Amino acid sequence: MCTNDLRNSVIFAIGDKFASDFFTGTVWLNMLTPVGSALPIANVTFEPGCRNNWHSHAGGQILLVTGGRGYYQEWGQPARELHAGEVVQIPADVKHWHGAANDSWFVHLAIEIHPEKGPATWLEPVADADYDKLP
């Protein structure tokens, strides 16, 4: 059972469903700065159980958690549970994933650092067997 539904109580508008082969589940995206901006900022809303594939950013990324419960994991490290008010600073070229817990919506602002260094490098999906072990 889902413990919260943040679709109607987010700080920024939820945006549109984002169709991508790099997510397991449904995600909504609202770009808060124009595409091509020197500092792209997006409001990203994950339905329960939704997460992105492993990926990295050549310039790094910052996540500002604004609602729900989710996870962030760097390759080779344990997953970190995230809640509103937490900040994740992801160094350049670090393989990672982030997304919602199975029983909660999850919302964060994603800030791409140094986008001029190139787009995200998308990798394999997070294995269901690994994700399903998370509390």
Side-chain angles (χ1 to χ4, degrees):
M1 180 177 174
C2 181
T3 58
N4 60 9
D5 184 338
L6 300 173
R7 289 175 289 181
N8 297 315
S9 64
V10 295
I11 296 170
F12 299 98
I14 191 169
D16 299 315
K17 280 188 180 180
F18 183 64
S20 172
D21 293 334
F22 304 124
F23 287 80
T24 299
T26 304
V27 66
W28 289 260
L29 181 69
N30 178 11
M31 290 304 300
L32 302 177
T33 57
V35 174
S37 166
L39 190 65
I41 303 172
N43 185 70
V44 186
T45 303
F46 299 80
E47 72 176 349
C50 178
R51 69 263 187 199
N52 51 32
N53 287 10
W54 289 98
H55 63 284
S56 64
H57 303 268
Q61 185 181 42
I62 297 172
L63 306 177
L64 306 175
V65 181
T66 59
R69 184 171 75 91
Y71 295 98
Y72 166 77
Q73 184 176 16
E74 291 182 3
W75 187 257
Q77 300 296 319
R80 172 181 159 194
E81 188 170 319
L82 299 174
H83 301 273
E86 294 191 70
V87 177
V88 179
Q89 187 167 351
I90 305 164
D93 298 316
V94 169
K95 183 177 178 179
H96 68 281
W97 70 269
H98 34 101
N102 264 326
D103 64 351
S104 179
W105 288 79
F106 181 61
V107 185
H108 65 55
L109 298 180
I111 304 168
E112 181 127 7
I113 308 300
H114 299 293
E116 71 278 5
K117 292 186 176 183
T121 300
W122 291 99
L123 305 164
E124 70 276 9
V126 175
D128 288 340
D130 294 331
Y131 178 81
D132 291 342
K133 291 177 188 174
L134 298 172

